[in-house]
Amino acid sequence: VGSFARTHGAKIPARQVSSAKSWLCHPGVDRTAPLLPWAAPPDVPRLSPLDVSARYLKHFVDAWNHAPGRKPEDRLEDQPVVVTVPASFDDVARNLTAEAAKQAGLKHVTLLEEPQAAFYAWLGTHPPLEATRLKPGMRCVVVDVGGGTSDFSLIRSAEGKGELEFVRDAVGDHLLLGGDNMDLALAKSIEAKLSARPDGAQFGALVQACRSAKEILLADNPPASVPVTVVGRGRSVVAGTVSAEVALSDVDAAVFDGFFPHVRYDADPVRAKAGLQEMGLPYVSDPAVTKHLAAFLRKHVPVGEVPDAILFNGGVFQPGRLRDRLVQVMAEWYDPAWKPLLLTSPSLDLAVAWGAAYFCWLKHTGGKRIGGGIPRSYYVGLQTGPGIGERESTSGEQESRGSSIPDPRSPNQTVLCVVPRRMQEGDEVSIPKPELELALGEPVLFPLFTSSVRGQDKPGDVIGVAPDQLLRLPPLHTVLRGGKRAGTKRVPVTLAAKCTEIGTLELYCVGKEGNRWRLEFNVRDVLQEADEDEAIGPTGVVDVFPEERVRAAADVILSCYTWAESTAPADHVTPKDLVKTLESNLEAGRGDWPTGLCRRMSEFLQDVAEYRGRSPAHLARWYNLTGFCLRPGFGDTLDRYRVEAVWKLIAAGASQSAARPIPEGGADYWILWRRLAGGLNTAQQQQLFSKLRPVMLPAKGKQLPKPHANEYAEMWRAVAALERLDGKTKQSLAEILLRQVKRPPIPTYAYWALTRLGARVPLYGPLNTVVHQDVVEDWVAQLLAAPPDSTGDRLGWSFALAQMARQSGIYSIDLRENLRHQVVTALRAVKVPDAWPRMVEEIVRPEGADQSQLFGESLPIGLRLAK
């Protein structure tokens, strides 16, 4: 931790962990999984973003406690500690930060937003008379551009009881944009000057070298250029070394033109399909800080008014040229004669730390602190329906128009306000209406949204909100446990919310008898962003399907499974005829069943699960239909719990069901888990793999008898669908498949399984489980050297190449350019869809046909997986 780690890490970038704070707020990975350093070779041990954050804090704890003369009673664990976070940190990242502090042993922690800390530093390092320069009513915009994030806050001065006070009026949305991006952009421009394209680890070294060059060239009296050198790896330390010159013009083009360009006040940030992700982080797609600042000011500064002061913070603004540039751009928005107060801090590096200490002292002594409460309002999503009192609000506020039925064609999201903006830390609010009726022992799931622009909503308001005013957070969930009282099936509850002293949000379901169930953030699942043209969905999948047909289908399933063979009537539906009978009753072929109907059918199948062991035919049909109706294991907000119920059902009922043993295995058993793999968590996938390992990866001298060919093929397809397995396990599995595809006859499953194991763009798994680029480059080279003959599966071979060489836009995942060119050449020599070589040449979105081929079958109608 510290400057030595940064300097030494530049020499061995494959073992350097940086930007942990940015990773802590990355919704596309499991932030508790070991994934850092991101671009490291497969043999380098890894830590989770949570672990790294805890180690940072533990380093400070140890440094404090081991200082000479420190008394045992002054240990840092027992002191009040302020941990600063970006103002734009969502509640998941705040909770993880608090957890990291707890792991470091800290007991009395408060979270403070960094722009506020910078403002406190200005207050604490200047005479009290200096603060009076901000007259009541004046606004100060804090522009904080650090290494990984950009934060904007608006602080207003006011007068209360004859004293000057300050109120935080607004904060900006989360922007993963900062000095790291500038280093990346500069490295990308310098990369073109190198004689050879660096690999992932070398590119990390190039980024570090460009950072140092940037700091030199942005300082006062800079040289004309700075040399940068990237050392080769392995046996090519000398031969693989490349160097180039970073000129002052390179820095100006990358930093000034790219990140602080002259833009109009009405310029909106561009939303591209793929942003700058060279190091794996989902940086914002438009790097122009000035555009994001303009958008923030348009939202929060009334028309015709201007900010009166600017406070710069963050290491990016160390060079005076960048501060001058931003003031110049803002003057073009308002008036060339506009001269804001420039609030200065003695140190941009230390301002946040000083401000945190000053805040803690004010809190300890009862001094006046910045007011304003929490900067966002919070909402839970509701299903629209008759009787919900909704008031519409898109760009402005309208009065409640009472109970009404929302227009289903409205693009607005119906939400319930649970926490108002400006609620004070430590306050709790109860929401008596609407009253919810929740089932005991079943999962409760709430889609959660937040907004930084809606200041008038009150707890309990049910409103229609335009999607662009909401930011989606990971859903909240809990399972209600109500004791063993017979007959209790449902319980009426209301919601309550609390803003904790440390600045995190807590939500509860509250029963009439005072029972409280805390709602937990779902932090482990990947949060996939919806398309910008896609409305925010309701709490579950709903399809309009005639209920009488659905009930008839339920009766057919019940009849098939509950009748014993000896007493079954003559017209009894057999497992063999079940699907055909269901299609007839539903008047729709199985491929035309929409998602909502499929999920209903899965519930009927669970109702008869105890009878699935009546015969091998009953069991095979139950596996087949259950997997079909719940495929691909995710996509609807409740799928996680549906799949978990199936998992528990099979695990608990493996020995007995309807007084008959149920054997594990068979082709249909593995097809079920291949279909539901996306709904299994990491532990469940590992447990399932432990059953497959003795057959897939037998220990030396312990080869088991190979199952029947059909079952063996489905076992391979199932194991390849487990995207949450670690990279080393996938590598071991792929080595077996690579041997199989080099000699005919090539198994039917081999290319498909290899495709899933080495795909660059996962279907559902976190990015940290993607196999390392060096490993997959070797797989691709082996496939290119061993194409199938004219009788072989050329399409399967081509599809595997296309998916393993596909561009993801992440530097440390994508294959080298020359190898991708070889793949494109090979694909064009075979008759394949045009989309396949295009996905290797450029970044394109996964298409429906490709998704279906990767899953092994089509998705249910109406289920659209956002990536």
Side-chain angles (χ1 to χ4, degrees):
V1 175
S3 58
F4 171 78
R6 183 176 66 180
T7 303
H8 190 62
K11 301 174 185 176
I12 46 172
R15 290 182 175 272
Q16 184 188 51
V17 175
S18 59
S19 303
K21 192 164 60 174
S22 298
W23 284 101
L24 203 63
C25 60
H26 186 348
V29 298
D30 179 354
R31 288 162 270 188
T32 62
L35 55 94
L36 301 176
W38 176 253
D43 60 330
V44 173
R46 285 166 164 79
L47 299 169
S48 73
L50 177 61
D51 292 335
V52 175
S53 302
R55 290 195 184 199
Y56 283 146
L57 295 172
K58 188 66 168 65
H59 175 80
F60 301 141
V61 171
D62 292 341
W64 172 276
N65 291 342
H66 289 81
R70 188 74 70 204
K71 298 177 181 178
E73 61 268 25
D74 292 333
R75 293 172 59 83
L76 192 59
E77 293 95 325
D78 301 321
Q79 306 301 320
V81 173
V82 176
V83 178
T84 60
V85 295
S88 55
F89 251 24
D90 64 26
D91 287 82
V92 174
R94 289 172 188 259
N95 278 292
L96 289 172
T97 303
E99 175 61 25
K102 181 180 178 181
Q103 290 184 14
L106 299 173
K107 302 173 185 176
H108 311 290
V109 172
T110 301
L111 302 184
L112 177 65
E113 298 165 6
E114 288 164 1
Q116 278 200 61
F119 195 83
Y120 277 118
W122 175 73
L123 290 174
T125 57
H126 290 77
L129 189 62
E130 184 84 4
T132 61
R133 296 175 63 194
L134 284 175
K135 306 297 182 185
M138 294 176 70
R139 294 184 180 87
C140 172
V141 57
V142 183
V143 183
D144 182 356
V145 183
T149 58
S150 290
D151 270 336
F152 309 126
S153 290
L154 204 61
I155 296 177
R156 174 174 48 85
S157 60
E159 187 174 4
K161 298 181 179 179
E163 295 183 358
L164 186 66
E165 57 185 31
F166 297 99
V167 178
R168 190 267 322 282
D169 269 350
V171 300
D173 293 330
H174 178 66
L175 294 176
L176 205 56
L177 174 67
D180 293 345
N181 301 75
M182 299 175 194
D183 301 338
L184 281 169
L186 182 57
K188 287 291 289 183
S189 66
I190 300 304
E191 182 188 15
K193 298 182 179 182
L194 301 178
S195 57
R197 181 180 186 265
D199 60 22
Q202 287 178 307
F203 186 76
L206 178 62
V207 171
Q208 295 291 341
C210 286
R211 177 186 60 78
S212 300
K214 178 198 71 177
E215 293 173 355
I216 293 171
L217 292 169
L218 284 176
D220 296 333
N221 303 315
S225 64
V226 174
V228 295
T229 300
V230 178
V231 179
R233 290 202 299 151
R235 298 178 181 177
S236 302
V237 171
V238 176
T241 297
V242 291
S243 60
E245 291 284 328
V246 181
L248 186 59
S249 57
D250 294 324
V251 174
D252 286 348
V255 177
F256 285 88
D257 298 342
F259 293 85
F260 294 94
H262 291 275
V263 297
R264 291 166 52 93
Y265 186 57
D266 58 359
D268 282 317
V270 176
R271 292 189 61 180
K273 291 297 184 185
L276 182 65
Q277 295 189 42
E278 272 70 8
M279 303 309 290
L281 287 165
Y283 297 122
V284 292
S285 52
D286 194 327
V289 174
T290 46
K291 285 186 183 178
H292 294 287
L293 177 60
F296 168 76
L297 293 173
R298 289 199 309 273
K299 279 184 180 179
H300 300 290
V301 176
V303 176
E305 300 184 24
V306 300
D308 304 286
I310 302 175
L311 174 61
F312 292 104
N313 191 55
V316 165
F317 288 119
Q318 289 282 12
R321 292 174 61 200
L322 286 177
R323 300 195 298 271
D324 295 341
R325 174 61 167 257
L326 191 61
V327 173
Q328 181 185 5
V329 173
M330 293 178 68
E332 294 170 0
W333 298 342
Y334 301 122
D335 187 326
W338 176 66
K339 297 294 182 185
L341 291 173
L342 296 180
L343 310 185
T344 59
S345 176
S347 170
L348 289 171
D349 283 334
L350 300 177
V352 167
W354 286 342
Y358 184 57
F359 164 82
C360 200
W361 180 77
L362 289 173
K363 185 177 180 182
H364 179 68
T365 60
K368 191 173 289 292
R369 290 174 278 159
I370 297 172
I374 62 173
R376 299 175 182 83
S377 46
Y378 291 84
Y379 309 83
V380 294
L382 297 178
Q383 294 268 19
T384 55
I388 293 179
E390 182 200 45
R391 57 184 176 89
E392 294 185 351
S393 178
T394 51
S395 57
E397 294 293 332
Q398 296 180 9
E399 292 298 320
S400 172
R401 53 187 176 86
S403 179
S404 65
I405 301 176
D407 184 352
R409 297 166 297 177
S410 171
N412 290 350
Q413 166 72 27
T414 302
V415 295
L416 167 68
C417 179
V418 292
V419 175
R421 195 168 134 202
R422 297 190 177 90
M423 180 175 170
Q424 297 299 315
E425 287 84 355
D427 286 357
E428 184 168 346
V429 61
S430 296
I431 305 159
K433 291 186 178 181
E435 187 175 85
L436 308 173
E437 190 178 57
L438 303 176
L440 293 172
E442 294 184 7
V444 181
L445 199 71
F446 291 93
L448 184 66
F449 308 99
T450 183
S451 175
S452 61
V453 297
R454 302 185 58 83
Q456 307 302 318
D457 298 333
K458 296 179 177 59
D461 286 351
V462 177
I463 50 182
V465 183
D468 62 357
Q469 293 187 11
L470 296 175
L471 175 68
R472 183 164 63 114
L473 296 176
L476 294 161
H477 66 93
T478 190
V479 176
L480 305 185
R481 306 294 183 192
K484 300 181 179 180
R485 289 182 298 168
T488 302
K489 296 192 176 181
R490 291 185 176 269
V491 56
V493 299
T494 57
L495 294 178
K498 181 180 180 181
C499 182
T500 68
E501 291 287 351
I502 67 170
T504 60
L505 175 69
E506 293 180 356
L507 279 172
Y508 299 89
C509 292
V510 182
K512 288 187 175 180
E513 297 179 356
N515 297 323
R516 292 164 70 94
W517 294 272
R518 182 174 175 179
L519 297 170
E520 303 284 351
F521 282 105
N522 180 9
V523 300
R524 291 182 177 271
D525 288 353
V526 174
L527 178 63
Q528 298 182 350
E529 292 297 331
D531 296 339
E532 58 184 285
D533 58 347
E534 193 173 292
I536 300 171
T539 57
V541 171
V542 178
D543 295 309
V544 178
F545 208 88
E547 183 63 20
E548 64 274 10
R549 296 187 204 167
V550 176
R551 297 312 312 175
D555 292 341
V556 169
I557 293 173
L558 192 67
S559 168
C560 177
Y561 279 89
T562 55
W563 280 104
E565 294 294 332
S566 57
T567 58
D571 59 351
H572 168 64
V573 178
T574 65
K576 180 181 177 182
D577 297 328
L578 178 58
V579 173
K580 185 168 59 177
T581 307
L582 288 173
E583 290 177 332
S584 175
N585 279 270
L586 292 168
E587 299 182 18
R590 189 171 68 159
D592 295 327
W593 295 354
T595 305
L597 174 61
C598 284
R599 299 315 191 242
R600 292 281 302 280
M601 301 288 283
S602 74
E603 293 167 5
F604 302 150
L605 288 162
Q606 287 190 40
D607 290 341
V608 299
E610 62 179 300
Y611 303 105
R612 67 189 186 280
R614 284 198 181 278
S615 71
H618 282 85
L619 183 61
R621 180 58 67 198
W622 190 89
Y623 282 148
N624 186 277
L625 264 181
T626 298
F628 181 83
C629 291
L630 281 180
R631 74 193 197 284
F634 65 103
D636 175 42
T637 50
L638 289 178
D639 280 352
R640 171 185 174 186
Y641 298 98
R642 295 184 179 111
V643 173
E644 185 176 331
V646 173
W647 175 268
K648 291 179 178 177
L649 187 68
I650 293 178
S655 57
Q656 296 289 326
S657 177
R660 190 178 298 233
I662 298 179
E664 259 189 14
D668 288 295
Y669 178 85
W670 299 113
I671 290 173
L672 167 79
W673 292 124
R674 188 253 300 164
R675 285 170 163 166
L676 303 191
L680 300 176
N681 60 36
T682 301
Q684 290 166 337
Q685 291 199 1
Q686 289 285 0
Q687 187 174 337
L688 190 61
F689 177 65
S690 67
K691 301 176 182 179
L692 291 161
R693 181 188 286 275
V695 178
M696 307 282 100
L697 298 175
K700 191 172 182 180
K702 294 186 179 181
Q703 178 72 50
L704 297 178
K706 189 177 289 188
H708 185 273
N710 190 30
E711 180 178 2
Y712 188 64
E714 295 303 338
M715 292 172 80
W716 268 108
R717 292 188 178 100
V719 76
L722 304 179
E723 288 190 354
R724 293 189 170 96
L725 295 180
D726 63 275
K728 289 187 177 180
T729 299
K730 294 179 182 179
Q731 185 177 351
S732 300
L733 293 165
E735 288 171 355
I736 296 173
L737 293 169
L738 286 166
R739 291 196 293 269
Q740 293 179 356
V741 300
K742 290 178 183 177
R743 57 179 185 271
I746 298 172
T748 56
Y749 57 80
Y751 285 129
W752 186 89
L754 199 56
T755 301
R756 289 296 302 268
L757 292 171
R760 300 293 81 198
V761 179
L763 288 173
Y764 63 83
L767 293 174
N768 49 285
T769 61
V770 175
V771 180
H772 196 273
Q773 63 182 170
D774 291 350
V775 175
V776 177
E777 283 180 351
D778 179 60
W779 299 356
V780 169
Q782 292 186 53
L783 286 181
L784 288 172
D789 58 27
S790 58
T791 62
D793 185 7
R794 290 199 171 188
L795 278 180
W797 174 79
S798 302
F799 191 66
L801 284 174
Q803 292 296 331
M804 286 193 280
R806 179 178 204 144
Q807 284 204 60
S808 68
I810 303 176
Y811 196 98
S812 55
I813 286 179
D814 291 342
L815 307 191
R816 289 171 298 173
E817 191 172 4
N818 62 339
L819 190 59
R820 293 203 309 270
H821 284 325
Q822 295 178 44
V823 171
V824 171
T825 301
L827 293 177
R828 296 201 187 283
V830 184
K831 192 174 182 181
V832 298
D834 293 338
W836 293 7
R838 191 171 74 249
M839 73 176 69
V840 181
E841 294 177 312
E842 58 187 85
I843 302 171
V844 296
R845 290 176 57 84
E847 297 182 355
D850 291 340
Q851 269 195 340
S852 296
Q853 190 163 349
L854 282 166
F855 276 116
E857 59 194 318
S858 63
L859 296 173
I861 292 174
L863 183 65
R864 188 174 175 197
L865 303 179
K867 287 295 288 184

